[in-house]
Amino acid sequence: MTAKSIRKMTADAKGRWSWVCHCTAVLVLFLLPMPGPCCGNSVERKIYIPLNTTATCVRLLNATNQIGCQSSISGDTGVIHVVEKVEDLKWVLEDGPTPPYMVLLDGDLFTRDTMLKLKGISRLSGMAVVRSKTNPPGGFSKDLPCPNDGFGVYSTNYGPEYAHCNQTIWNPFGDGLSYEDFKFPIFLINDENETQVIKQCYQEHNIPVNGSTPQYPLCAMQLFSHMHAVTNTVTCMRRSSIQNTFSLNPEVVCDPLGDYNVWSTLKPVNTSGQLDPDERVVVVATRLDGRSFFWDLAPAADSAVSGFVTQLAAAEALQKLPDSQMLPRNIMFVFFQGETFDYIGSSRMVYDMQKGKFPIGLNNIHSFVELSQVALRNASVLWLHTDPISLKNDTVSAQVTTLVKTLLDASQNTNVTLKEVDQSQPLPPSSFQRFLKARNIPGVVLTDHQSAFQNRYYRSMYDTAENIRLEYPAGLSPEEELDYVTNISEALTDVATLVAKGLYQLAGGNSTSSVIKADSKLVARMLYGFLIKSNNSWFQSITNTDYMKAGGILENKAPQYYVSVNSPAGPTSLVRYVLANLTGTVVNLTQEECQNPKDSASSESKLYEYLWVLGSFDNSTSRTPFCVKTLTHMSKAVSPAFELNEWGSTEYSTWTESRWKEIRARIFLVASHELEVVTLVVGVVILIVSLLATYFINAKADILFTSARDTGSVAY
């Protein structure tokens, strides 16, 4: 959309009243609706300009509350007012003569103070936020200062002095705005061109001239984002349950947030049975998801991607070791989904382990290493966090001491400086807390922060590649960028090498770990695919055709890591395929045999999974597909609260997402209320005249339509 589009829309709007009159005359003349241009499908295109590159705030619910935003059932409309400084709000709140208003808010003003000023104001019908061109230098996080509060290990029964972040505010930049409930729609304008179109429309029609009131027609915006669910998860799940029970066409109003965890082991594990109680497993875990204020906009560069890319690289480095299958202890790599929403993935895995529904039990866990945010290190320092309460147990304390020493030793002769946090400080928000809540397990959490987060854009739309300084020289082609090893690629490779060395020693490796080295080019490729563009040649070669079709997971942009309600989500499938290709082996099976392994490899079907992938181009026109045998699996990441139908649970996550019919935004020129009334009255008068004319013609039809000639009978 350009200035030409605006001028065209203006001309169309100014002329549409004469157009309506013309059509009305035609209707009166023929007394019936006539098909033709005046009544065609182009009417909407003449009046409205759609906004296509937007994101919206949707409604989420938990056991006690609803948060987010929504419009009325028919959408909300208001006259546009651009707010670029705080003083501009006065027009919306007090001075403007043509309420309600639709605010176009500068991204730098999208703060808690500004939003609370506008909350509950009847003169405001909605808001469109302009995304800042650069990351706000002062930080930007709409999450809570104490993330996942109430669902970790610390409570009145366990370390009450650490509960509710009493000692450490982990996210000091968080203002909690994502957890407020707004009764009006809030959209994000992602495209700068659309922002300029809106501003030009506003400048041409809505700015007062010489202090006078702006004259109609005025530039207006309409936002549609009506949500079906209300109140809380208990209410919406009960309504959905009643619909499913008694209705032939049930209308579900909300869905539980959830997806799948991705997990793999270094050595095969029978997924249909239980691991022997004497076998021990070293668990290394990270998270897959993030969020922001706006739905499905979660780049999560530091909060998620840095951790799981490092873990993938460490898994590849260990798998290629010649003695990886001979280690005394197994290693399990876990990628948890839904951790942003009160630890959905980790709490579900712990629940399944406790109920014997997972092949590895809690009693099999030897130690636990978690990779959290690891990209924003100061002076290459990585911090080791431990739990001060479990350290009071002498046995656990000795095990944690050994674990920490092993990792410190592994950091020798690397480019990473590993330091231990003071043992009086609690664990940061982490999946490990859910395991610790079930059993005293020795474990550590590796982060780039000693206390409060280094990440100033935690769980926000600005936690992007730019935030972790993923930059490429100018002039590189996409293929060159894919393989370009940046500074952050090197830094995460160093962390992956350290982690792989530490895991090797924890698993009982006796050989020297100096040969263990993560692949920097592999890390570079993963960062490009997960943060810049997933539709690249490498991702294409390690996935299958389903992901390359329209609507597939490979896109010409970075994936978004919101957990959502569709399973498996795109990033989950991507991580599964990457992990499978990095740690699996190529086997000589046809596509049919690969996709139906029980028919051809029944003896191993309970140990391995088989994936058919496209492969690379062997020439300019065709690929060489192949079958990958892998130890990569997926397990449910849906809260146990929905398994138990305990929708009001305080033990497990209860987050749900409301359903909606449509989400869209558009601008147009709106006429004055008086002209709308006049138009309505004229329309009613025309209708009445048309009905009277129709009645008169029908009543006098025998006279009006009788021939003047003699119509007597004729004899033949």
Side-chain angles (χ1 to χ4, degrees), residues 248-280:
L248 294 176
N249 297 300
E251 183 177 341
V252 177
V253 296
C254 68
D255 300 283
L257 290 180
D259 192 17
Y260 285 94
N261 297 322
V262 178
W263 65 278
S264 179
T265 52
L266 199 60
K267 298 189 289 185
V269 170
N270 189 338
T271 57
S272 64
Q274 290 290 306
L275 204 63
D276 188 281
D278 295 330
E279 294 191 50
R280 291 292 178 264

Side-chain angles (χ1 to χ4, degrees), residues 6 48 63 66 92 108 117 129 180 201 279 319 328 346 388 418 462 489 500 504 512 574 612 622 675:
I6 285 291
Y48 299 104
Q66 65 179 28
V92 177
D108 293 335
K117 282 181 184 178
V129 179
E180 294 288 337
C201 185
E279 294 191 50
Q319 188 66 45
S346 55
L418 205 56
Y462 297 111
S489 302
Y504 179 79
T512 175
L574 273 178
W612 185 258
S622 63
L675 182 56

Side-chain angles (χ1 to χ4, degrees), residues 20 32 243 251 254 278 298 301 367 398 405 434 442 446 481 502 511 597 637 683 709 714:
V20 169
L32 288 170
Q243 284 276 333
E251 183 177 341
C254 68
D278 295 330
S367 52
K405 183 180 183 304
R434 292 301 301 194
L446 276 67
E481 288 183 343
S511 302
R709 295 180 302 165
V714 179

